Amino acid sequence: MSHFFTSESVTEGHPDKICDQISDAILDDALRQDPQSHVACECLATTGLVFVAGEMRTKGYVDIAGLARKTIQSIGYNDATYGFDHKACAVIVSVGAQSADIAMGVDEDSNKEQGAGDQGLMFGFACDETPELMPLPISLAHGLTKKLADVRKQNGLKYLRPDGKSQVTVQYSDDGKPERIECVVLSTQHRDDISHEQICTDIKEHVIMPVCGQYIDDRTKFHINPTGRFVIGGPPGDCGLTGRKIIVDTYGGYSRHGGGAFSGKDPSKVDRSAAYAARWVAKHVVKSGLAKKCEVQIAYAIGVAQPVSIHCETFGSGKVSDRSLEKAIAKVFDLRPAAIIRDLDLLKPQYQQLAAYGHMGREDLGVKWEQCHRIDAVLKAL
């Protein structure tokens, strides 16, 4: 039977995404000065206030308050009439040193290799629904929010404000292939003096149709600013927190999630690095033609380098058994934290750009976990 699946995305001006971007801007600055920085940085944003807390160990000096304001400004909150702006908001910082107990487990020395920064389980996923091997619903949802930001920043629709959300429902055929879009939901913050009718017309023409047009038919439903008004947005409309959009950051709910957030964490934290590695592995399996879809789970113990388990699931689409794939993965990919950091170049400042519109499928950013240079090695290992 045919079925529906829905995924959502949010713009860079959404309050949770503001916090993710501030946390990752701080991480990037620390890594830029000291690649061995250890950072665990959380952010909260509400009306007139940004609060940054966490732990950090670095040889550099990070101007946390200055970075927070710069990030808020770059997002587009640069006018007090929006209810939140980079100049008028207060920034409170409470960042301490990294726990010595944690440092014992993640520092690499001559006697002990680098262990995982915490216990945990991470999932990676790939499927053949899009060129970047991501599920179609989340790919379209991200496309809508990115397009919404583009038309705002390029002065195409001057009345738009930074906050916004999208949601796309895709209908799948009996054999699991995406066929059409059943429903598009798009909400955008806007200036007070613009009519709902104009917003609906403009958003459908300039945002929805350019991104989703090939999947839209005469049965597709549209809900554009369905409450009728979205003037109060950003932190005044809803308190933001780092790490509260983990499904938006990954696969839109299409695949399982281990529960760990990414933003504000240096790559010694396997919540981040192993999730990228799992995506890297899963993408190799699909890109090599060994399966139409693949989910990989990797699990760790704190302070221990080798994963405690590797699991592969191809949902009946694999050309070889899942157990055979697991053995090949273990041969081809070194999934110890230090090896992941090395192979995926994770000490490079690159994280703020990932903190909006998804961490996976970002071929546009040239990140290493989206590159598939070991396909021949995987095939040979089988």
Side-chain angles (χ1 to χ4, degrees):
M1 291 180 63
S2 64
H3 65 278
F4 301 103
F5 194 87
T6 303
S7 293
E8 70 163 348
S9 178
V10 298
T11 66
E12 64 211 62
H14 185 280
D16 293 332
K17 278 292 149 201
I18 294 172
C19 294
D20 284 343
Q21 290 166 90
I22 291 172
S23 294
D24 275 336
I26 293 166
L27 171 63
D28 278 347
D29 196 57
L31 292 175
R32 192 172 292 112
Q33 299 177 65
D34 175 11
Q36 300 304 318
S37 295
H38 286 247
V39 179
C41 182
E42 314 291 342
C43 181
L44 176 149
T46 187
T47 305
L49 174 65
V50 172
F51 186 85
V52 182
E55 300 80 46
M56 186 183 304
R57 177 158 54 99
T58 182
K59 295 177 182 177
Y61 169 73
V62 180
D63 178 9
I64 293 174
L67 284 169
R69 295 187 190 280
K70 184 178 179 181
T71 302
I72 293 165
Q73 181 183 22
S74 69
I75 290 168
Y77 287 108
N78 51 17
D79 189 327
T81 62
Y82 297 178
F84 187 78
D85 79 290
H86 70 289
K87 292 178 290 186
C89 69
V91 180
I92 299 174
V93 178
S94 179
V95 176
Q98 184 190 41
S99 161
D101 292 347
I102 293 176
M104 288 173 59
V106 300
D107 285 346
E108 186 173 8
D109 58 34
S110 58
N111 298 314
K112 186 175 184 293
E113 63 181 331
Q114 180 178 346
D118 200 354
Q119 70 175 48
L121 49 136
M122 298 81 208
F123 287 94
F125 181 79
C127 64
D128 63 358
E129 293 180 11
T130 61
E132 68 274 20
L133 304 185
M134 288 287 285
L136 183 63
I138 189 64
S139 181
L140 292 175
H142 284 322
L144 288 173
T145 50
K146 283 191 282 189
K147 187 68 172 178
L148 187 60
D150 287 344
V151 299
R152 170 177 63 86
K153 291 180 176 181
Q154 295 168 4
N155 292 324
L157 299 176
K158 295 183 179 180
Y159 61 80
L160 295 179
R161 298 294 180 254
D163 199 357
K165 303 178 80 169
S166 70
Q167 186 173 282
V168 179
T169 301
V170 173
Q171 181 174 348
Y172 287 80
S173 63
D174 293 348
D175 59 356
K177 295 180 180 179
E179 291 184 317
R180 55 179 291 275
I181 291 176
E182 170 69 11
C183 182
V184 176
V185 182
L186 198 145
S187 297
T188 178
Q189 187 184 8
H190 58 87
R191 203 171 65 212
D192 192 17
D193 59 346
I194 302 299
S195 71
H196 181 65
E197 291 73 19
Q198 181 178 346
I199 293 170
C200 291
T201 299
D202 288 345
I203 292 301
K204 189 171 181 181
E205 177 184 352
H206 296 290
V207 179
I208 295 176
M209 294 308 297
V211 174
C212 301
Q214 71 182 100
Y215 297 101
I216 287 172
D217 58 25
D218 56 5
R219 294 181 292 153
T220 302
K221 305 177 184 67
F222 301 95
H223 298 289
I224 301 170
N225 278 16
T227 67
R229 178 182 170 87
F230 188 3
V231 173
I232 301 171
D238 187 14
C239 178
L241 289 170
T242 298
R244 201 161 57 180
K245 285 291 177 285
I246 58 175
I247 300 303
V248 171
D249 284 343
T250 51
Y251 309 100
Y254 201 100
S255 171
R256 286 172 283 197
H257 196 294
F262 301 153
S263 289
K265 297 176 180 177
D266 74 82
S268 71
K269 282 77 172 172
V270 285
D271 278 346
R272 175 166 230 154
S273 54
Y276 295 159
R279 160 67 178 172
W280 186 44
V281 172
K283 190 170 183 180
H284 270 83
V285 172
V286 177
K287 189 84 169 178
S288 66
L290 291 169
K292 291 182 176 297
K293 61 176 64 175
C294 177
E295 182 182 77
V296 174
Q297 185 203 54
I298 313 170
Y300 293 87
I302 187 169
V304 180
Q306 287 288 354
V308 298
S309 69
I310 300 171
H311 176 76
C312 181
E313 170 69 62
T314 58
F315 308 95
S317 72
K319 293 184 177 180
V320 298
S321 73
D322 293 344
R323 305 295 79 80
S324 295
L325 283 171
E326 288 167 3
K327 292 177 181 177
I329 289 166
K331 289 180 182 178
V332 174
F333 299 95
D334 188 342
L335 297 174
R336 294 173 298 171
I340 293 171
I341 291 168
R342 177 197 67 214
D343 293 342
L344 299 184
D345 198 14
L346 297 183
L347 296 180
K348 180 176 72 174
Q350 58 189 314
Y351 298 110
Q352 185 180 355
Q353 63 182 348
L354 290 161
Y357 313 118
H359 293 246
M360 311 303 177
R362 299 303 301 273
E363 294 183 348
D364 57 315
L365 299 179
V367 293
K368 289 289 187 69
W369 53 95
E370 293 299 324
Q371 299 173 15
C372 297
H373 299 317
R374 299 189 182 182
I375 289 175
D376 289 344
V378 172
L379 295 173
K380 185 178 179 181
L382 288 166

